[in-house]
């Protein structure tokens, strides 16, 4: 389609647009506004009465229950602070079982008898809200109870202010539960899983002789990938704005063959947008760190500095929201879908994960002394055991319709979960397994050339981009998350399964030490045994290679290719037992998540199919028929015949897709999901295949959709 578009718009003009929309001036020197809009520890310390502040900190640091009588004092200061920042409303900001956030705004002001209004905000209003739960997916939990749900203040994630040119909003991170106490959100189980892991890890640390720590926090640093697209093209693509991805579109003549985009210089408008996004994130306290171009054209990445899992997960939701809002000020749309463009690299979200103590120790950091290495190897072995036992559950935790275009498609990790340890760590475990090394004795096995395991060797060069779960120096990187996903579920799963493995290994250690064994020797035995029993999940080779898929099957690893294959693992007996033991999710809560995720799959697939039919029927087929008419008028028989055949084929494919769309059998739930996967998806693919061939021959001025080359290369 020949298009006119706003040409040569400079970043300065886009920034002027942004300023008109209330964006901050970033050019003022020294104006880095980190945390300006956060009710953070510094603000709390300054404003709260000493005793209130002390007690609140105790809750934050040690996970102690909050005394509700503090709430009034906190609410008063929070409101005054928020109003000084221009806030007129507040919201309990929460995360229902979709991958997004929800908010209902309430005004601070209430009218009084004399016709004026006064501002108020009580402790009760801070602690508890009552949104109508009936409009959120609950997977059946709600149905048998009242429709009421309530939100509960999470004091461990700081409140923040979202600004708008016409006002400001105080956002209070909250948990969302049913009236009967079941978690209706992603935050509650995440918090429970962090507690579970902390308990297990503290127990293990005590046995290992570290008694400085009171609490262990899991940490997360997500690397967010995304695309930008000029908003004009976005609004000309009903598939993009309805489903988040292009349902049609022929491969462009130029893709990323030239590898000229990755880490390339960032175009001016894009950079201007990124800078403003990062400034906005800084103001709400999200510590962004890295930005760069990604592999595909017009694809980018944004990575924050890691935080504890709960705050990191909240901040990730906020990041996705702010990225999308700011993009619009620059005439861009930020696409978070896992696969906006077929045949072009999709977007994921690497989930860097570790465990750290409140005394500042990273449990996955190889130490400088043999003693530290003993504890490192212990926790590392626990992760290996956990991932091996619950590989299918981990796969299920990242399942979703967008992911089915990525996982296993040789651009993202495969649908098989395995662990990359890296050459050095691999050697360490192999040596221990052979019984040759003694990490407690400097100069023996940890030698590997040096007297002890040096502190940094694993950070560098030794990388494997194809592994779904890789050790990267002082953390594991779970690389299979989708770009639009909330971090909460995968991290809940990780924390819980590792909590279980740590507890099991700790029990063995405790027994061995009680038997009079030396701690280091006992750990080496446990590490040997654990590695031996679980090494099938360790794989350092190319995960994209077909040979690995064959080998993985031989090893008995799960290969769950699609969402309907993976989701049942959320409710497998093994999952239910583990999650019940750590009180992270009850069977009922697990079932509700399973049901919601199945329903999201079928609903979204249905929307895609309906959108595909509508575009095919009302936009693409008419264009092809007009083109055919022109050819007929031109009188070239060969051209007419070629196009006529394709038009007929397209019509047939549309009819078949319509039939698939209508023909849902009486099945529901997972059966329906499988049926749609096997029937609707192929019918959509078939229609697309013909449409993309038509796109290549229909006159450009007749083709109604922007083409891949326009969407991907105009920045
Ligand atoms: P990479 O190893 O992928 O090149 P970086 O070292 O820059 O990248 O780290 C990537 C992400 O990992 C960042 O978000 C960073 O904050 C996070 N990260 C670093 N250390 C930890 C940790 N201990 N726990 C969780 N995330 C971490
Ligand atoms: Mg990475």
């Amino acid at each position: 389609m020949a298009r006119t578009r706003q040409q040569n718009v400079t970043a300065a003009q886009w920034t002027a647009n942004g300023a008109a929309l209330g964006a901050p001036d970033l050019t003022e020197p020294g104006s880095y506004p980190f945390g300006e809009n956060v009710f953070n520890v510094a603000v709390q310390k300054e404003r709260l009465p000493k005793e209130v502040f002390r007690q609140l900190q105790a809750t934050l640091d040690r996970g102690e229950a909050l005394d509700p009588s503090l709430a009034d004092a906190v609410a008063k200061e929070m409101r005054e602070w928020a109003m000084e920042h221009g806030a007129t409303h507040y919201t309990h900001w929460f995360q229902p079982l979709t991958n997004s956030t929800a908010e209902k705004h309430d005004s601070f002001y209430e009218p009084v008898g004399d016709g004026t209004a006064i501002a108020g905000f009580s402790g009760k209003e801070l602690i508890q809200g009552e949104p109508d739960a009936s409009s959120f997916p609950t997977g059946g939990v709600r149905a048998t109870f009242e429709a009421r749900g309530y939100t509960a203040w999470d004091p461990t994630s700081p409140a923040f202010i979202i600004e708008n040119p016409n006002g400001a909003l105080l956002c209070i991170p909250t948990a969302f539960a049913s009236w009967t106490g079941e978690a209706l959100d992603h935050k509650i189980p995440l918090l429970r899983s962090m507690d579970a892991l902390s308990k297990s890890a503290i127990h293990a640390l005590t046995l290992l002789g570290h008694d400085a720590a009171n609490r262990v926090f899991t940490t997360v640093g997500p690397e967010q990938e995304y695309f930008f697209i000029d908003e004009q093209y976005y609004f000309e693509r009903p598939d993009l704005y309805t489903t988040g991805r292009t349902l049609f579109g022929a491969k462009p003549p130029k893709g990323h063959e030239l590898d000229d985009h990755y880490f390339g210089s960032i175009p001016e408008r894009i950079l201007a947008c990124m800078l403003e996004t990062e400034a906005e994130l800084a103001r709400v306290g999200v510590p962004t760190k890295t930005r760069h171009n990604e592999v595909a054209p017009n694809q980018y990445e944004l990575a924050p500095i890691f935080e504890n899992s709960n705050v990191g997960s909240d901040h990730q939701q906020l990041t996705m929201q702010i990225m999308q809002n700011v993009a619009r000020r620059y005439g861009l749309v930020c696409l978070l879908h896992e696969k906006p463009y077929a045949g072009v690299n999709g977007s994921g979200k690497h989930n860097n994960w570790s465990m750290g103590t409140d005394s500042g120790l990273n449990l996955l950091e190889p130490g400088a002394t043999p003693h530290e290495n003993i504890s490192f190897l212990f926790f590392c072995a626990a992760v290996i055991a956990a991932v091996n036992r619950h590989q299918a559950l981990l796969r299920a935790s990242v399942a979703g319709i967008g992911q089915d275009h990525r996982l296993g498609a040789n651009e993202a990790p495969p649908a098989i979960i395995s662990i990359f340890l890296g050459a050095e760590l691999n050697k360490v475990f192999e040596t221990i397994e052979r019984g040759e090394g003694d990490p407690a004795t400097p100069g023996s096995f940890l030698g590997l050339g040096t007297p002890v395991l040096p502190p940094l060797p694993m950070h560098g060069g030794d990388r494997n981009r194809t592994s779904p779960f890789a050790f990267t120096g002082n953390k594991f990187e779970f690389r299979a998350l989708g770009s639009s996903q909330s971090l909460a579920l995968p991290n809940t799963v990780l924390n819980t399964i590792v909590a279980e493995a740590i507890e099991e290994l700790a029990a063995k250690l405790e027994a061995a030490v009680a038997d009079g064994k030396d701690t280091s020797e006992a750990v080496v035995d446990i590490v040997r045994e654990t590695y031996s029993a679980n090494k099938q999940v360790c794989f350092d080779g190319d995960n994209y290679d077909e040979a690995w898929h064959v080998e993985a099957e031989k090893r008995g690893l799960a290969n769950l290719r699609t969402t309907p294959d993976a989701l049942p693992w959320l409710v497998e007996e093994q999952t239910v037992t583990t999650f019940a033991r750590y009180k992270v999710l009850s069977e009922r809560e697990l079932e509700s998540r399973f049901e919601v995720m199945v329903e999201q799959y079928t609903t979204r697939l249905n929307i895609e199919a309906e959108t595909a039919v509508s575009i095919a029927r009302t936009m693409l087929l008419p264009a092809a028929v007009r083109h055919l008419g022109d050819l007929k008028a031109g009188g070239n028989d060969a051209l007419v015949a070629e196009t006529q055949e394709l038009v007929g084929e397209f019509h047939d494919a549309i009819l078949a897709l319509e039939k698939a769309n209508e023909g849902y059998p009486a099945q529901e739930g997972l059966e329906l999901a499988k049926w749609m996967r096997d029937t609707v998806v192929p019918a959509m693919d078939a229609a697309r295949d013909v449409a993309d061939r038509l796109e290549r021959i229909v006159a450009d001025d007749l083709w109604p959709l922007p083409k891949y080359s326009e969407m991907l290369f105009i920045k």
Side-chain angles (χ1 to χ4, degrees):
M1 182 181 176
R3 267 155 243 277
T4 49
R5 61 181 301 278
Q6 227 176 335
Q7 290 297 337
N8 300 322
V9 182
T10 64
Q13 278 165 285
W14 289 113
T15 305
N17 291 351
L21 288 165
D25 179 8
L26 304 175
T27 52
E28 221 172 278
S31 68
Y32 196 65
F34 191 80
E36 188 179 282
N37 283 344
V38 186
F39 194 67
N40 54 27
V41 177
V43 175
Q44 292 169 23
K45 186 166 187 182
E46 186 193 312
R47 304 190 71 126
L48 292 175
K50 259 208 180 84
E51 184 50 25
V52 175
F53 175 73
R54 197 195 59 76
Q55 289 193 42
L56 193 57
Q57 288 315 303
T59 302
L60 265 57
D61 293 343
R62 293 195 286 279
E64 286 172 12
L66 183 83
D67 175 357
S69 68
L70 299 179
D72 276 326
V74 179
K76 176 172 168 289
E77 290 304 324
M78 206 189 263
R79 176 182 62 78
E80 282 176 10
W81 169 82
M83 292 182 78
E84 282 164 25
H85 284 72
T88 50
H89 289 65
Y90 69 93
T91 183
H92 276 196
W93 187 78
F94 62 102
Q95 294 160 41
L97 295 177
T98 59
N99 277 311
S100 52
T101 56
E103 50 194 69
K104 177 186 128 215
H105 303 182
D106 281 301
S107 174
F108 285 129
Y109 291 99
E110 278 191 33
V112 283
D114 64 357
T116 61
I118 57 159
F121 181 53
S122 67
K124 191 170 165 287
E125 285 168 308
L126 166 63
I127 288 189
Q128 189 168 308
E130 239 183 273
D132 179 7
S134 61
S135 324
F136 296 104
T138 61
V141 164
R142 191 199 63 246
T144 46
F145 295 94
E146 299 178 79
R148 277 198 300 177
Y150 69 97
T151 49
W153 175 37
D154 169 16
T156 62
S157 183
F160 56 91
I161 287 173
I162 290 285
E163 287 176 303
N164 176 285
N166 295 338
L169 173 71
L170 170 66
C171 296
I172 303 160
T174 52
F176 181 42
S178 77
W179 209 243
T180 44
E182 266 116 351
L184 296 178
D185 72 351
H186 284 310
K187 181 189 269 283
I188 295 173
L190 179 60
L191 286 167
R192 291 176 183 159
S193 74
M194 290 170 71
D195 282 341
L197 187 130
S198 182
K199 277 196 201 101
S200 288
I202 289 289
H203 179 212
L205 281 170
T206 312
L207 296 171
L208 290 163
H210 300 266
D211 36 24
N214 292 307
R215 196 171 160 82
V216 171
F217 288 96
T218 50
T219 49
V220 67
E223 301 165 52
Q224 174 76 53
E225 293 180 343
Y226 60 98
F227 281 87
F228 276 135
I229 178 174
D230 191 287
E231 70 178 11
Q232 181 184 340
Y233 300 138
Y234 179 80
F235 289 117
E236 285 168 354
R237 300 271 329 199
D239 45 1
L240 267 185
Y241 63 73
T242 311
T243 72
R245 74 181 183 101
T246 53
L247 301 172
F248 299 97
K251 195 175 170 336
K254 178 185 173 203
H256 38 80
E257 308 69 7
L258 296 176
D259 284 332
D260 52 357
H261 185 68
Y262 192 55
F263 280 23
S265 87
I266 301 175
E268 193 178 20
R269 166 160 67 140
I270 304 287
L271 181 58
C273 178
M274 288 173 168
L275 286 165
E276 187 171 325
T277 303
E278 289 165 23
E280 291 250 320
L281 286 167
R283 301 172 93 198
V284 292
V286 179
T288 58
K289 179 78 179 158
T290 314
R291 66 173 96 94
H292 60 77
N293 287 354
E294 257 305 326
V295 176
N298 236 340
Q299 189 187 32
Y300 308 91
E301 180 179 297
L302 176 70
I305 295 169
F306 70 94
E307 299 179 278
N308 83 54
S309 304
N310 179 39
V311 174
S313 165
D314 281 359
H315 279 172
Q316 174 62 192
Q317 294 302 114
L318 201 49
T319 301
M320 292 194 283
Q321 188 181 325
I322 287 176
M323 283 167 77
Q324 288 174 304
N325 289 345
V326 173
R328 298 298 303 282
R329 296 179 200 150
Y330 291 82
L332 297 166
V333 173
C334 171
L335 303 178
L336 294 176
H337 194 283
E338 282 75 18
K339 193 75 178 177
Y341 305 105
V344 174
N345 251 34
S347 300
K349 183 144 58 191
H350 291 180
N351 185 96
N352 294 273
W353 177 92
S354 190
M355 305 169 271
T357 67
D358 57 354
S359 52
L361 183 70
N362 177 352
L363 302 186
L364 293 176
E365 174 91 51
T369 66
H371 184 65
E372 284 167 356
N373 280 323
I374 286 288
S375 112
F376 163 73
L377 289 171
F378 177 90
F379 289 108
C380 206
V383 175
I384 296 172
V387 171
N388 186 37
R389 179 182 298 169
H390 293 283
Q391 35 171 299
L393 175 61
L394 277 170
R395 165 68 183 92
S397 78
V398 297
I401 190 166
Q403 290 277 73
D404 287 8
H405 303 283
R406 249 169 48 86
L407 300 178
N410 281 9
E411 57 157 67
I416 306 162
I417 301 289
S418 67
I419 301 178
F420 168 79
L421 290 174
E424 304 223 22
L425 194 51
N426 200 39
K427 203 153 133 198
V428 170
F429 278 106
E430 289 288 329
T431 313
I432 293 181
E433 197 194 15
R434 286 196 305 271
E436 287 166 14
D438 172 8
T441 312
S444 76
F445 104 95
L446 280 173
L448 307 171
T450 53
V452 290
L453 197 61
L456 282 180
M458 296 166 205
H459 276 285
D462 191 12
R463 285 181 168 263
N464 181 334
R465 308 287 314 172
T466 70
S467 174
F469 201 95
F471 181 72
T472 45
N474 55 0
K475 58 188 164 41
F476 277 97
E477 194 169 326
F478 185 20
R479 299 216 181 96
L481 277 73
S483 48
S484 70
Q485 260 200 302
S486 152
L487 300 180
L489 181 61
N491 284 284
T492 299
V493 167
L494 258 177
N495 297 346
T496 309
I497 64 178
V498 175
E500 175 187 58
I502 291 174
E503 188 180 307
E504 285 178 9
L505 300 198
K508 287 185 187 171
L509 180 57
E510 200 159 23
V513 172
D515 263 3
K517 221 181 200 167
D518 167 71
T519 305
S520 296
E521 274 171 31
V523 170
V524 174
D525 286 347
I526 290 168
V527 167
R528 176 184 307 117
E529 206 179 286
T530 307
Y531 177 69
S532 247
N534 293 286
K535 66 188 276 192
Q536 58 152 348
V537 79
C538 298
F539 177 64
D540 277 12
D542 180 0
N543 282 258
Y544 298 171
D545 192 350
E546 238 349 276
W548 164 236
H549 299 196
V550 177
E551 158 82 12
E553 191 170 330
K554 271 198 218 132
R555 294 193 191 184
L557 300 181
N559 185 359
L560 304 166
R561 290 172 205 274
T562 66
T563 299
D565 294 327
L567 290 181
W569 284 89
L570 291 172
V571 288
E572 276 291 316
E573 197 183 326
Q574 170 180 285
T575 309
V576 173
T577 310
T578 301
F579 276 69
R581 183 184 314 149
Y582 293 93
K583 298 193 167 54
V584 173
L585 286 165
S586 67
E587 182 164 13
R588 191 177 163 71
E589 288 169 325
L590 283 168
E591 265 165 15
S592 76
R593 273 143 192 87
F594 168 71
E595 275 176 38
V596 168
M597 286 172 82
V598 169
E599 191 182 296
Q600 275 179 7
Y601 177 85
T602 51
T603 308
R604 291 184 59 182
L605 187 47
N606 182 247
I607 292 170
E608 285 191 358
E610 302 262 342
T611 307
V613 166
S614 156
I615 291 175
R617 274 257 180 225
T618 66
M619 296 175 80
L620 306 185
L621 190 60
V625 169
R626 270 182 219 140
H627 182 67
L628 184 59
D630 287 355
L631 292 178
K632 281 181 176 158
N636 182 323
D637 291 346
L639 283 177
V640 170
E642 178 192 56
T643 306
Q644 185 117 41
E645 192 184 324
L646 219 45
V647 167
E649 219 183 294
F650 192 36
H651 188 212
D652 290 344
I654 295 172
L655 290 172
L657 178 55
E658 283 170 343
K659 188 152 174 288
N661 265 350
E662 282 160 13
Y664 298 168
Q667 296 135 339
E668 47 178 45
L670 188 65
E671 288 315 303
L672 175 60
K674 286 184 179 161
W675 185 87
M676 289 178 73
R677 174 196 63 192
D678 299 336
T679 313
V680 178
V681 173
M684 276 171 62
D685 290 346
R688 176 185 189 138
D689 178 64
V690 195
D692 292 357
R693 277 186 279 148
L694 277 167
E695 184 186 316
R696 290 199 179 87
I697 62 165
V698 169
D700 187 57
D701 62 331
L702 291 177
W703 196 254
L705 294 174
K707 295 183 173 175
Y708 269 31
S709 48
E710 295 171 298
M711 295 186 285
L712 288 166
F713 292 100
I714 290 182
K715 299 165 191 171

